[in-house]
Amino acid sequence: MTRAVHVVKRFTCDELAELLTAYLDGALDRLDRDGIKAHLAGCEWCERYFEQFRVTIRALGDQPPEKLSAGVRDRLMVAFRERRGV
């Protein structure tokens, strides 16, 4: 008789914080989703952070995108590229 083994990926608190948007968007595979759920169930700090994140999205999520002037957009893109080292 063969038993199925369910592996749960472990995440640090920092890794979880980086993946919350993808988690809420449903963009993670099952292994990552299950790992995040397991971490949230056992980490009070991350669970609280996750709930605050969800409340913020609910409050601000339907805001129309803000239009940037071409100059502001260009300066932002330069800053992003410099930060990424591109």
Side-chain angles (χ1 to χ4, degrees):
M1 182 169 150
T2 305
R3 286 185 156 193
V5 176
H6 184 71
V7 177
V8 175
K9 187 172 181 179
R10 295 181 160 268
F11 288 99
T12 65
C13 296
D14 287 339
E15 290 169 332
L16 182 131
E18 290 287 324
L19 292 172
L20 276 184
T21 301
Y23 176 73
L24 289 169
D25 288 344
L28 300 177
D29 62 30
R30 181 178 173 209
L31 183 63
D32 287 343
R33 278 193 321 269
D34 290 349
I36 287 177
K37 287 178 188 176
H39 185 99
L40 289 171
C43 181
E44 184 179 328
W45 185 89
C46 285
E47 199 278 328
R48 189 174 27 229
Y49 178 73
F50 176 67
E51 286 305 315
Q52 291 171 348
F53 200 81
R54 284 176 46 174
V55 167
T56 301
I57 289 170
R58 265 186 259 142
L60 302 175
D62 291 334
Q63 298 295 314
E66 195 171 318
K67 303 279 186 205
L68 297 176
S69 70
V72 170
R73 183 186 178 286
D74 291 343
R75 286 194 307 272
L76 282 172
M77 293 306 291
V78 167
F80 292 145
R81 285 186 193 110
E82 287 175 355
R83 185 166 185 196
R84 291 184 65 207
V86 177

